[in-house]
Structure formats: C-alpha cells, structure tokens
Amino acid sequence: MTDLIHPTAIIHPKAVLGENVRIGPYSVVGEHVALGDNVTLHSHVVVDGHTTIGENTRVFPFASIGHAPQDLKYHGEPSRLSIGKNNTIREHVTMNPGTETGGMETRVGDNGLFMMACHIAHDCILGSNIIMANNATLGGHVHVGDFAFIGGRAAPYQFLWIGSHPPIGGMFRGAKKPNPPCRG
C-alpha cells in the first residue's frame, strides 16, 4: 500500500485508510479522517477534521475538505463531514463540517460531481447524483435533493431547500423576497 502514497504526503498515524487508497504529492490527511477503499487524493489535497470519504471518490488538487466551518458560532466542537462514494471533487473545492446549530454534520451523497471551486458550507445535506458547476456555492444549512444540477456561480443562500431533479441556473442567488405591502 505504501507505493500508492507519495513520499511527500503527510498522513496522521491515526487516520484510517481503506484498501488501494492513492495519496498524491504534498497532500495532508488529518487525525480523524477515514478514507474508503480506492479513494484517490491527487496532489496538494488537504483533508482534516472528523471527515469520512466514501469509496471510489476522487479529490483533485488544492481541495480543502473538512476544515472548520466559516461560521462565527463554531467554537471547535467535533462536528462531522460525511462524503459518500463515487464522488468527483475537482480543483479548489471546499467542504465544511457541521455546527451545533445544524446537527453537527454536513452530508454529501453518492455519485456527485463538484466542479472547480465549489463550496459546500456547514450543515448542508446533499442527496446523490448532484452536479455543481464551476464556482457554485451553497450557504449554510442548504438541503439539496437527488439529481439536482446547480449552474456555474449559483449561490443558494442559507436555509434553502432545493428538491430533487431541479436545474438551478447559473448565477442563481435564491428566491426573491416579495415586495412589502403598500402602506399608503
């Protein structure tokens, strides 16, 4: 198995690695990380926190997976990031774990494609077979159903629920709030 791990990779001795895991140059795997069978971390990937990545998932360079959420209410609690199997996580993607106010877990289903520079914020719950195009971002606590397609640079904001099978157009920002009633 050591021939599948580049000598410049840093892997915490307590990390759990499945069979045939490949870890490329300058990648870092933290103490509480579990990688399933046949996971590939290409070069310069960092996986930290209480993170699980399912079998046959591929993570490309400069992805930052499992680091502390970008939420001011987060105070270091051991929240989780669970990523399913057969996902493709492209360059510069970020995925954060949950927070106390959101159930302590962010979950990503199976068979997803997360293109360059996508962001999955804290406490998001994603179904399976989701495609997020380049630079699409999800605010905290967003739920996305199976087979959703989220277009490039779309940014659904916090607490939105997106059902199964929807196409979300590029540069989408969320549902427009209705105008306040006329008072005159």
Side-chain angles (χ1 to χ4, degrees), residues 24-178:
Y26 305 104
S27 291
V28 179
V29 177
E31 176 179 6
H32 303 289
V33 172
L35 303 177
D37 294 346
N38 303 307
V39 166
T40 298
L41 305 181
H42 291 277
S43 70
H44 299 86
V45 173
V46 181
V47 184
D48 204 7
H50 295 268
T51 299
T52 302
I53 299 179
E55 64 188 46
N56 301 314
T57 293
R58 297 177 304 144
V59 186
F60 285 80
F62 304 106
S64 175
I65 308 297
H67 286 93
Q70 300 174 37
D71 185 330
L72 295 175
K73 296 181 295 301
Y74 179 76
H75 300 290
E77 54 273 12
S79 58
R80 300 194 52 76
L81 170 62
S82 300
I83 300 171
K85 62 185 178 181
N86 303 317
N87 285 293
T88 300
I89 301 170
R90 294 302 309 220
E91 298 83 3
H92 300 282
V93 168
T94 57
M95 295 183 177
N96 297 145
T99 63
E100 285 183 322
T101 60
M104 296 287 287
E105 183 176 31
T106 299
R107 282 195 318 260
V108 176
D110 301 331
N111 308 309
L113 170 57
F114 303 92
M115 295 181 195
M116 189 268 308
C118 289
H119 175 65
I120 310 298
H122 59 89
D123 305 299
C124 288
I125 306 296
L126 279 67
S128 294
N129 302 293
I130 290 174
I131 297 173
M132 289 181 65
N134 295 346
N135 299 299
T137 64
L138 300 179
H141 309 273
V142 172
H143 289 225
V144 181
D146 295 339
F147 294 97
F149 173 81
I150 300 174
R153 299 176 70 188
Y157 54 76
Q158 297 89 337
F159 300 101
L160 281 181
W161 287 58
I162 298 170
S164 295
H165 296 274
I168 304 296
M171 300 183 70
F172 170 81
R173 297 288 180 246
K176 183 178 178 184
K177 294 181 181 179

